[in-house]
Amino acid sequence: MDTRHVRHAYSFVCLDCGHGWEATYDIDVTEDDHGHIIATYHLDGRLVRSPLQWPRCPACEGHKIRIMRPGRVATARLYEK
């Protein structure tokens, strides 16, 4: 089994409280002997659930999250001022 290490950033916004944030994940992608892909996500060195399957707002704990390409939250903050 080969493991590929990738880094991927996402922007998030909570549709419940409006909180926006960005995070960069270190992802280990492995294909098992049966061809199934296994991805493990790490954030700041800690093993975490996939933000794509288990999104959660750090401000209100809500689960109605919109996931966008990186840089979208920072761009939106420029327009708020």
Side-chain angles (χ1 to χ4, degrees):
M1 294 189 304
D2 286 332
T3 299
R4 211 171 37 119
H5 304 283
V6 296
R7 179 169 265 210
H8 196 83
Y10 300 98
S11 291
F12 306 91
V13 67
C14 178
L15 300 178
D16 286 327
C17 73
H19 178 69
W21 71 100
E22 297 189 11
T24 301
Y25 295 84
D26 292 307
I27 307 166
D28 295 331
V29 182
T30 306
E31 185 175 338
D32 69 13
D33 295 333
H34 303 285
H36 299 109
I37 295 175
I38 302 164
T40 55
Y41 288 76
H42 296 85
L43 181 63
D44 298 327
R46 294 178 295 113
L47 181 64
V48 295
R49 290 181 166 189
S50 166
L52 304 177
Q53 295 177 337
W54 301 95
R56 188 184 62 171
C57 176
C60 74
E61 302 291 322
H63 292 279
K64 292 193 318 191
I65 308 297
R66 181 170 186 176
I67 303 170
M68 303 168 288
R69 69 178 184 263
R72 299 297 293 178
V73 172
T75 302
R77 287 185 182 142
L78 290 176
Y79 292 112
E80 288 178 1
K81 296 180 179 180

